Amino acid sequence: MAGDESVFLRAKDRRYKGLTEDEQKEWSGPFYFIQAADPQLGLMKAWRIGDCDSGGDEWAEEVQLTKQAVQAINKLQPRPRFLVLCGDLVHAMPGCPFREEQVKDLKEALRETDPTIPLVFVSGNHDLGNTPTPETVEQFCRDWGDDYFSFWVGGVLCLVLNSQFFFDSSGCPELNEAHEVWLESQLHRATQTPSRHVLVFQHIPLFLRTPDEDDDYFNLQRGIRERLIQRFKQAGVKAVFSGHYHRNAGGCCDGLDMVVSSAVGCQLGDDTHGVRVVVVTENDIIHRYHSLDQLTERGMDEDLKKLLV
């Protein structure tokens, strides 16, 4: 689509819109970014009527909420360094009715994002299918950019992962192997290249509350979870940011912060529609969920803003 390159960060060109491979390797002082998750156009009606498989034929509510988020983020001063959307961009699975229209309408809503704020997209299970295939991965890449990649910003190494490969890669074993080789190289690189912090973005959380919790639809299988936690800790990963749960959750494991953010779109718990403000200082990652109404009316919390001075 001709206009997309001027709006959306394409992972194949990490120099695009201010996220560069070399210039951003040096620490340049505190900054912040916005983490959002699960706009999932179509889920709100589907959830209300109890038909999540085929009931997502209306999504005006999610479009309006996404526009509200964009407008609120555009007004923030100083500007966030980037906005990352942690998966489930639309509700319709690949090949399902409404998919193409939902993608089109989400792009239109996001097109109003201030051009100085890079957009980073993470793939979710509704974007790729619960069991992704080469075809569904290719379609995601055409619509939103690469399904996994890394970038530097302000001395911080950021890894964007395809967590659906951790969930079920039976439909694309070769792609999963390539992802695994790439991830191992990136984690090794993290141990060899000085960085202030290493952050991971993926759709499915490692865990919701504690690393030893039971397997659930909303977390990764325990064996996979434990191996990833160990690998992340060895590489010095500071925090993992996810969505998928449509509720705020998370916990800490030996210095590894698992951050689970609720949705821009449909809420499955008691949280409100919102996004997370993440402040990166020299020694810490401080984050807080803000409702869209709060962000619209008052902006980010003042105590967080003071950390940027």
Side-chain angles (χ1 to χ4, degrees):
M1 193 175 295
D4 286 350
E5 295 298 334
S6 64
V7 179
F8 301 111
L9 172 66
R10 305 303 288 189
K12 296 184 181 72
D13 184 4
R14 291 185 292 271
R15 296 180 61 82
Y16 181 60
K17 292 180 70 177
L19 301 181
T20 65
E21 186 65 22
D22 296 317
E23 297 170 12
Q24 294 284 346
K25 285 185 177 180
E26 298 298 323
W27 175 250
S28 54
F31 66 89
Y32 80 102
F33 64 88
I34 302 294
Q35 183 220 1
D38 301 277
Q40 204 160 341
L41 273 60
L43 178 58
M44 292 178 72
K45 180 188 176 182
W47 186 260
R48 277 199 303 270
I49 67 175
D51 184 4
C52 288
D53 291 332
S54 56
D57 60 345
E58 295 178 8
W59 50 88
E61 292 172 283
E62 290 95 338
V63 168
Q64 184 54 45
L65 288 164
T66 303
K67 288 182 177 179
Q68 182 183 357
V70 166
Q71 291 165 4
I73 292 167
N74 284 346
K75 293 193 300 183
L76 294 174
Q77 292 293 339
R79 293 274 193 266
R81 293 295 291 270
F82 61 92
L83 163 61
V84 56
L85 285 86
C86 283
D88 278 3
L89 307 176
V90 299
H91 180 63
M93 293 279 193
C96 290
F98 322 123
R99 168 78 174 207
E100 187 174 336
E101 286 301 306
Q102 288 177 0
V103 168
K104 174 179 173 292
D105 287 351
L106 180 60
K107 285 186 175 185
E108 285 300 320
L110 292 172
R111 205 176 299 278
E112 298 305 315
T113 306
D114 187 289
T116 65
I117 304 172
L119 293 169
V120 178
F121 298 99
V122 182
S123 59
N125 57 305
H126 280 264
D127 305 311
L128 300 172
N130 286 322
T131 304
T133 66
E135 292 74 24
T136 65
V137 173
E138 181 182 2
Q139 183 61 58
F140 176 87
C141 293
R142 284 200 300 267
D143 287 337
W144 304 107
D146 288 351
D147 56 318
Y148 60 92
F149 56 99
S150 65
F151 63 92
W152 287 85
V153 57
V156 175
L157 175 61
C158 299
L159 306 180
V160 175
L161 309 188
N162 183 338
S163 60
Q164 213 54 37
F165 290 153
F166 303 139
F167 180 81
D168 183 359
S169 62
S170 60
C172 51
E174 293 182 354
L175 292 181
N176 175 57
E177 182 178 355
H179 179 264
E180 178 61 29
V181 169
W182 172 84
L183 177 57
E184 186 59 32
S185 71
Q186 293 295 313
L187 295 177
H188 177 73
R189 173 195 190 193
T191 67
Q192 302 297 313
T193 305
S195 63
R196 181 54 56 186
H197 303 291
V198 182
L199 305 179
V200 168
F201 302 97
Q202 60 184 58
H203 180 61
I204 303 176
L206 299 170
F207 55 87
L208 300 175
R209 303 290 182 188
T210 61
D212 59 352
E213 67 195 21
D214 292 338
D215 293 351
D216 186 273
Y217 171 78
F218 290 108
N219 62 21
L220 288 177
Q221 189 178 48
R222 188 164 178 175
I224 294 172
R225 176 198 321 163
E226 290 174 346
R227 288 193 294 274
L228 283 171
I229 289 173
Q230 186 63 28
R231 294 168 70 190
F232 288 169
K233 285 162 55 178
Q234 289 176 347
V237 174
K238 186 87 168 185
V240 178
F241 292 89
S242 296
H244 190 50
Y245 192 43
H246 292 254
R247 285 154 283 202
N248 287 309
C252 197
C253 176
D254 297 331
L256 175 66
D257 195 7
M258 179 65 248
V259 184
V260 185
S261 291
S262 196
V264 171
C266 186
Q267 301 297 310
L268 302 186
D270 298 326
D271 297 298
T272 58
H273 310 284
V275 299
R276 189 170 297 273
V277 176
V278 184
V279 176
V280 181
T281 69
E282 188 169 9
N283 297 312
D284 294 301
I285 309 294
I286 304 100
H287 52 85
R288 188 175 303 150
Y289 191 79
H290 290 55
S291 73
L292 295 186
D293 288 343
Q294 173 191 352
L295 203 67
T296 298
E297 295 166 7
R298 304 192 300 274
M300 65 187 290
D301 289 341
E302 285 299 322
D303 62 325
L304 295 181
K305 191 180 294 187
K306 289 178 180 178
L307 295 173
L308 300 172
V309 178

